[in-house]
Amino acid sequence: MSKLVIVGTVAFDAIETPFGKTDKILGGAATFIGLAASHFDINAAAVSIVGDDFPQEYLDLLSERHIDTTGIEIIENGKTFFWSGRYHNDMNTRDTLVTELNTLADFKPVVPEDYKDAEVVMLGNLHPIVQSSVLDQMSKKPKLAILDTMNYWMDCALDDLINVIKRIDVITINDEEARQLTGEYSLLVAAKKIQEMGPQYVVIKKGEHGALLFHEDQVFYAPALPLKEVFDPTGAGDTFAGGFAGYLAKTNDYSFENMKNAVIYGSTLASFCVEKFGTERMQNLTSEQVHKRLLQFKQLTQFDIELG
């Protein structure tokens, strides 16, 4: 069975959208990635840090989904990373209200011994130096290293970010971040420039407008599944990354053709994530529901055409 290492935040979120608001609930990139990846028959381990204020029931939830939590460090008398945000009516923009790094400020990830030979490494959005330190701990080069990042690191740690980008195989970022990283408005030109930095594959996420996959001169576009309503977009990008990484770890096929399937799986799982606050929808998601929505995706995107 393939192994997947997931590195990122396990955290508390407090969210406000036009549909309501929450108190502190379970969040964090590694949480969303792990819950999505748990839909595939793989060995997955989460590497993160929390305080002793983090409920055991949340750790049990991850363990019940067959996510190894031995790499989640619990700091005595420490507080767990906390983020609070408010989404605007269009659900595409948000204001950060509170960010408390707490234990995350001194996070030095330790990859569990049993996972240092993992075939796939998913580096969630963290400081690039932290991401790089995970690659340094692997006993052999992973078959696939995937990195997620954001514009914050482009603003304050660009050199470190470029150094870790040189070491990975796939980068997942949104369209705004791709333009900022390269200084190019055209996503085709931006993707080409990013490939020249090191990654063979570039995934550019466009939210409700789907995702683009680039490899050499090849391009694949997957639309987002039309939904009646988006309840909470928090974690959708991480859920996409978890589905993408989990599918590739399961199939052990890192070709462009199979990456297309991984993008579809990631998009499908992300479409569930936005239907409830936080991780609520992902906690109760069944394989039957995923299969049914994959069929919907297939019907949405496939067609026959007579070419004269």
Side-chain angles (χ1 to χ4, degrees):
M1 207 182 293
S2 292
K3 295 178 184 177
L4 169 65
V5 170
I6 299 162
V7 186
T9 53
V10 172
F12 293 130
D13 289 340
I15 302 158
E16 185 176 341
T17 79
F19 296 98
K21 61 190 297 185
T22 72
D23 293 321
K24 281 187 178 181
I25 58 173
L26 176 61
T31 306
F32 284 104
I33 293 168
L35 290 173
S38 71
H39 285 273
F40 305 93
D41 190 21
I42 56 173
N43 290 317
V47 178
S48 192
I49 190 168
V50 296
D52 60 7
D53 59 341
F54 194 75
Q56 182 62 42
E57 67 185 89
Y58 288 167
L59 294 172
D60 292 343
L61 168 69
L62 297 175
S63 297
E64 287 163 9
R65 300 301 292 264
H66 307 292
I67 301 163
D68 189 317
T69 60
T70 57
I72 300 178
E73 185 181 3
I74 302 172
I75 302 299
E76 189 175 350
N77 299 320
K79 288 189 174 182
T80 301
F81 174 71
F82 172 61
W83 175 85
S84 175
R86 179 191 298 123
Y87 286 88
H88 296 188
N89 286 334
D90 65 2
M91 300 294 274
N92 289 320
T93 53
R94 70 186 185 191
D95 299 320
T96 292
L97 304 177
V98 179
T99 300
E100 296 175 1
L101 291 178
N102 297 327
T103 55
L104 190 67
D106 301 312
F107 180 37
K108 293 179 176 59
V110 178
V111 179
E113 208 61 45
D114 289 346
Y115 282 84
K116 289 186 175 180
D117 61 349
E119 290 85 357
V120 180
V121 174
M122 178 66 231
L123 301 170
N125 175 36
L126 290 166
H127 195 294
I129 290 177
V130 174
Q131 293 174 321
S132 217
S133 74
V134 173
L135 297 177
D136 292 339
Q137 293 178 53
M138 304 306 290
S139 59
K140 62 180 182 181
K141 189 178 185 302
K143 291 181 180 178
L144 197 74
I146 307 166
L147 178 139
D148 189 26
T149 191
M150 67 181 298
N151 48 10
Y152 178 79
W153 306 119
M154 297 171 200
D155 292 333
C156 70
L158 183 60
D159 289 344
D160 295 325
L161 178 59
I162 288 172
N163 284 335
V164 74
I165 286 174
K166 292 175 183 176
R167 304 179 63 185
I168 52 100
D169 305 293
V170 184
I171 184 170
T172 69
I173 53 177
N174 68 30
D175 45 1
E176 177 191 344
E177 293 156 353
R179 289 174 173 130
Q180 179 175 340
L181 183 59
T182 62
E184 299 288 348
Y185 185 79
S186 164
L187 294 180
L188 285 167
V189 178
K192 194 70 177 173
K193 278 198 172 182
I194 295 170
Q195 287 180 65
E196 290 168 359
M197 296 178 185
Q200 296 178 58
Y201 298 92
V202 177
V203 178
I204 298 180
K205 299 170 289 186
K206 292 169 60 63
E208 63 180 324
H209 302 297
L212 288 156
L213 169 67
F214 299 88
H215 173 59
E216 296 177 345
D217 294 324
Q218 298 173 294
V219 184
F220 173 69
Y221 170 68
L225 197 70
L227 299 171
K228 290 180 180 178
E229 59 184 23
V230 174
F231 204 81
D232 172 21
T234 310
D238 295 314
T239 301
F240 172 92
F244 180 83
Y247 179 82
L248 291 170
K250 178 187 177 182
T251 57
N252 201 28
D253 177 356
Y254 313 120
S255 65
F256 180 73
E257 289 304 312
N258 200 47
M259 290 263 179
K260 293 179 185 180
N261 295 328
V263 167
I264 295 297
Y265 264 95
S267 298
T268 300
L269 287 163
S271 75
F272 286 106
C273 176
V274 302
E275 292 181 338
K276 297 283 186 181
F277 273 121
T279 62
E280 184 182 348
R281 186 69 178 93
M282 300 305 295
Q283 291 181 33
N284 304 307
L285 186 60
T286 66
S287 56
E288 291 78 15
Q289 290 169 326
V290 174
H291 181 72
K292 183 178 178 181
R293 191 158 290 185
L294 279 167
L295 291 177
Q296 288 179 268
F297 225 113
K298 187 175 181 180
Q299 291 164 357
L300 175 73
T301 56
Q302 289 199 344
F303 60 91
D304 292 317
I305 187 169
E306 293 277 340
L307 295 175

